[in-house]
Each structure stands twice: as structure tokens, then as C-alpha cells.
Amino acid sequence: MTRSEVFAVAQMGPVNLADTREQVVARLIDMMRDAHSRGATWITYPELALTTFFPRYIYDTPEEYDAFFEEGLPSPAMVPLFDLARELGVGFYLGYAEKVHQDGRTRRFNTSVLVGPNGDLLGKYRKIHLPGTKEPIGDLEFEHLEKRYFEVGDMGFPTFKTPSGRFGMCICNDRRWPETFRVMALQGAEVFMLGYNTPTRNIHHHEPAYLREFHHRLSLESAAYQNAAWVMAAGKGGSEDGFAMIGGSMIVAPTGEVVARAASEDDEVITHRCDLDMGAYIRRSVFDFARHRRIEHYGLITEQTGIKVPE
Ligand code: CDV
């Protein structure tokens, strides 16, 4: 019996500062209905899907930036999505800014939630690789202040048992780090869901826009192939209040091939019927981890972060 299901990825066009949660959630709902009408059982939405990508702006106090955060799960803004998921039988991944009272203090994370097709909360993930700076660099077109607004995720890279198989979640910059996917694959993840917000401009040095898109795709293709898993990648496209995002949402097969790709820079649902057993032959051969991995030689990966050139 083949395990084949239709998966959807929901790219979003820009979310501007002036857009309300209600307007944004109405767009997410439209896309969930669209995905369902095409037979999808799962849909992946972008990182920080409910608001604009606010870490590009400088805010100093929680009074200024707390409006971008959600409290409670589901937060009031998410309730209509949870309800529709249950009604249609469509599971979803959603990225959002999470504010939580934990360990006796207020904490903020860049988080994604996984909700099952019956509307049940399956789990969440808190972004580990936070790019950018804590303090503004200054004299830039825009900043990237994720380290200012979020703590590093404290949940590792968990994976989740779903009615369709084992899924893992990560968020945006995590996709550029191979360790992210390998840790999830070692737990048997067959599907990686991820949302992203990638500007077309690199604030640190000049990089042509086509390279931004190329590195995004390269990361996803290698993650899929080297871990024999499906990748569902949902981003934002177009210009958020004048700040351009790369779009390029895609579904990548365990062979590393892109099987569906958004053609626009706007709200757009892409779908593909995914054979969840497609990666099995890769896991039995070239990437049979148990037979071929040589962990006795990988120690440096967890012992040090930066490069240390031996004497
Ligand atoms: N939201 C992100 O994590 N964006 C980064 C940018 C800053 C490079 C990314 O990896 O796409």
C-alpha cells in the first residue's frame, strides 16, 4: 500500500505594517480552502505568518513590539484557523511570534506550531538559528534584529507523530544548517516543514538577488536528498512596505528534485501528491545512516562552533 497524500505550501504575498490580524488570517483561510479543494491534507504557511517581518525594524521596549506577538495557543487570532482545520480535515504548520510566561519570566520566541487534520495541537518548535544582531548595525536600508526580539529556541529539533508519518519543523535560517535536518532525520522524520522570510538583499555584503534564491533552493534540495525526506518550504514574496522578499516557495522530493514551485510573488498555493515512501530506497542505500555514518569522527560538530585551525 503506497502512502501517498497531497501536501500544500501556502506562499504569502507581503504583509504590511498596516494590515490587521483579521485581514491576514482571512488570507490564510482562503488558502486553506484552496488547498483542501485540491485534495490537500496538510498545508505549510510561512515564518511569522500573522504579521509583517518586524525584525527589520528597531524597537526598544516591549510596549513597542509586543503587538507582533501571540499569547496562548491557539492565540485569539489563530482560533479561526484551528476551527477550519478541524472542519476540513487539513493539518497545518504556522509560524508566529510567541510570547509566553515560562520559568517565572516573560519569554519570546520565533515559533512554529503543528496542528493535526483533526485540529489537535501536535506540538511546536522554537527557532534555534537566529540570524542578524541584537543591536542595530545602523546606516542600513533595514536591520535584521531577530537576536533582539527572540531567545534561542529551547526545544531542540523535535519531531512529531502525525496520521501521515513523522514530521519535523524548522524555521527559515535553520534551513542553511545541515545539522538541523540531520537531527530530525535521525528521529525518522519523513517530512520537513519550514516557513521563511528571506529578503532579496543581504545587509552584510553585496549579493545578487539570484544568488539569494539559489542558496535557498540549494539548501532545500540538499536537505531533502541527504535525509531522504520531503521538504515543504513556504515563504513570503513581494514587497512588505518597500522591503522585498524572495518568494520561491517550493516542495522538494526526497530525491532532491523540486516538484512544485510558486510562480508568483503573491498569495499562492502549490500542491503535490507526495509518495511518503519515495525516500525509502535512499535510506536503504547511500544514506543508510546505521551502516554508513561514522560518528566517531564527527565530534567537532558538537564540540566547537567556530573554526580553530590546528597547530
Ligand atoms: N528570517 C530569516 O531567518 N532570514 C534569513 C536571512 C536574514 C538571511 C534567512 O536565512 O533567510
Side-chain angles (χ1 to χ4, degrees):
M1 197 181 75
T2 61
R3 293 189 302 140
S4 138
E5 279 186 51
V6 178
F7 282 72
V9 162
Q11 175 167 289
M12 297 180 74
V15 179
N16 294 315
L17 275 169
D19 294 341
T20 64
R21 290 280 203 294
E22 289 69 28
Q23 288 169 327
V24 175
V25 171
R27 288 163 57 184
L28 302 179
I29 281 179
D30 281 351
M31 290 198 281
M32 188 180 276
R33 290 196 186 283
D34 184 359
H36 176 253
S37 74
R38 299 195 223 169
T41 44
W42 292 95
I43 183 167
T44 302
Y45 293 111
E47 172 191 34
L48 300 179
L50 299 172
T51 66
T52 197
F53 188 71
F54 66 90
R56 71 169 69 92
Y57 300 112
I58 306 171
Y59 300 107
D60 291 320
T61 63
E63 288 70 35
E64 293 171 85
Y65 54 77
D66 263 353
F68 298 106
F69 283 80
E70 307 297 312
E71 285 189 73
L73 197 53
S75 70
M78 292 175 194
V79 169
L81 265 189
F82 275 67
D83 289 348
L84 188 65
R86 191 175 294 108
E87 179 192 322
L88 300 180
V90 175
F92 67 92
Y93 163 116
L94 178 78
Y96 67 103
E98 177 189 22
K99 179 180 168 185
V100 67
H101 196 73
Q102 183 184 308
D103 310 323
R105 62 195 169 96
T106 300
R107 306 184 66 181
R108 293 174 183 79
F109 298 97
N110 187 342
T111 299
S112 58
V113 62
L114 185 66
V115 176
N118 57 1
D120 284 354
L121 178 67
L122 296 179
K124 60 186 178 181
Y125 164 72
R126 292 170 169 166
K127 185 174 181 178
I128 286 180
H129 298 102
L130 296 175
T133 56
K134 191 174 174 103
E135 297 305 324
I137 296 174
D139 199 22
L140 290 176
E141 198 185 327
F142 60 92
E143 299 280 347
H144 197 107
L145 296 169
E146 286 195 56
K147 289 185 170 71
R148 186 182 190 85
Y149 302 123
F150 305 118
E151 290 183 50
V152 171
D154 61 351
M155 299 179 141
F157 294 103
T159 59
F160 305 92
K161 185 169 183 257
T162 81
S164 310
R166 186 157 285 272
F167 293 5
M169 294 193 278
C170 63
I171 301 178
C172 197
N173 193 261
D174 287 326
R175 75 197 188 288
R176 303 185 194 272
W177 303 91
E179 296 87 347
T180 298
F181 299 101
R182 184 50 53 87
V183 169
M184 293 193 283
L186 284 168
Q187 299 169 64
E190 302 166 294
V191 178
F192 301 134
M193 292 170 149
L194 69 101
Y196 61 94
N197 281 274
T198 301
T200 57
R201 298 276 311 272
N202 183 333
I203 56 172
H204 301 289
H205 62 96
H206 175 69
E207 193 175 42
Y210 81 86
L211 268 185
R212 304 285 277 172
E213 159 79 29
F214 172 68
H215 292 153
H216 156 69
R217 181 174 176 148
L218 182 67
S219 303
L220 301 181
E221 289 173 341
S222 51
Y225 168 59
Q226 292 172 350
N227 297 288
W230 287 92
V231 174
M232 308 291 148
K236 290 206 203 118
S239 169
E240 287 193 335
D241 291 307
F243 302 102
M245 320 288 280
I246 64 168
S249 302
M250 55 182 76
I251 299 176
V252 190
T255 52
E257 294 163 290
V258 176
V259 293
R261 186 192 183 286
S264 75
E265 295 189 310
D266 221 321
D267 289 8
E268 180 180 344
V269 176
I270 55 172
T271 53
H272 185 77
R273 175 165 284 285
C274 302
D275 174 359
L276 289 158
D277 291 321
M278 186 191 256
Y281 84 92
I282 298 175
R283 280 192 287 271
R284 276 196 308 270
S285 52
V286 64
F287 292 124
D288 181 343
F289 294 162
R291 274 197 298 143
H292 303 309
R293 292 183 77 244
R294 291 287 167 253
I295 56 173
E296 65 274 27
H297 296 293
Y298 302 160
L300 285 184
I301 288 180
T302 54
E303 283 162 18
Q304 70 185 55
T305 48
I307 297 169
K308 285 188 206 154
V309 180
E311 293 292 308

